Amino acid sequence: MAKLYFRYGAMNSGKSTSMLQAAYNYEERGHQVLLAKPSVDTKGDRGILSRLGVTRGVDFLLTPDTDAYALFQQHRADTLAGTGLDVSALLVDEAQFLTETQVDDLLRIAIIENIPVLAYGIRTDFQTVAFPGSRRLLEVSHSLEELKTICRCGRKAVFNGRKVDGAFVFDGDQVAIDGVEVTYESLCGSCYLEESHGVLNNRRREPAERGRSIDVDPHEANPPIESAPACPPASSPSIP
């Protein structure tokens, strides 16, 4: 039986590059692959943009209302009719923007159609809250693989800090595609807390204890701190 793979990492961890390399590896050996991404990712229009400068168009886009299973089957049939070869794998970029239903469709493609599905994306947004698509992928994927990158201090980066006009911000919509005005920086936990003044998830979740909601002063739930523990300068970047 084929599997659903979720390969995740902070921004700039090489997810798109890794996906394009995987597609190349399949095709170099004579296999057919299909590439897709959510339509909300407007960067690169209908293409996948690697930060190394490698680009490639996708075979189809997934809008929030798209039936991912049916659309895959349609393009699979077109591939078989045009090449005489069945699809060997489905690769999905920016998978955090998928709906939970679409992630379930990816699982069905892997199990029912016996076709490997490789999904690439980030786990959490700039407020450290999981994207719905990523959360569902973490729940149902057969295989989870972290793609690593480093923070400015040299430690492993796990969070994504959002910048507007060069300054870190911790309020705003969950989705804001990086470009000219909005950029992102991969941060370790200590550097993230230093920039956010100790705030995590920006109070988007109600505190709970033993499965029950409780009343907590918001200042006590996420108390501000004057300074987070400073990250020691690394002599050379390393990823544990």
Side-chain angles (χ1 to χ4, degrees), residues 84-209:
L85 298 173
D86 197 2
V87 171
S88 294
L90 170 63
L91 290 76
V92 182
D93 199 23
E94 304 292 352
Q96 71 272 9
F97 297 137
L98 297 173
T99 66
E100 293 191 3
T101 298
Q102 289 170 339
V103 172
D104 291 346
D105 281 341
L106 299 187
L107 182 65
R108 292 187 182 96
I109 291 169
I111 295 176
I112 299 174
E113 304 302 328
N114 198 32
I115 293 176
V117 179
L118 288 67
Y120 296 77
I122 59 178
R123 288 185 304 173
T124 58
D125 63 19
F126 72 113
Q127 294 175 332
T128 71
V129 176
F131 287 93
S134 298
R135 182 173 59 244
R136 188 60 178 152
L137 281 162
L138 290 168
E139 291 170 344
V140 302
S141 295
H142 297 91
S143 175
L144 302 173
E145 178 185 349
E146 182 179 18
L147 303 178
K148 300 179 178 66
T149 189
I150 58 172
C151 177
R152 62 196 181 194
C153 69
R155 291 181 175 179
K156 187 179 78 169
V158 292
F159 296 126
N160 307 292
R162 178 184 292 177
K163 288 182 174 181
V164 175
D165 296 328
F168 282 102
V169 297
F170 297 91
D171 289 302
D173 295 335
Q174 185 176 55
V175 178
I177 305 302
D178 54 323
V180 177
E181 296 181 355
V182 178
T183 59
Y184 292 88
E185 182 178 339
S186 305
L187 299 169
C188 70
S190 292
C191 286
Y192 183 93
L193 288 174
E194 181 179 5
E195 294 293 347
S196 70
H197 304 291
V199 175
L200 289 170
N201 84 57
N202 204 25
R203 291 181 283 275
R204 282 166 57 185
R205 291 177 177 156
E206 292 296 327
E209 183 179 26

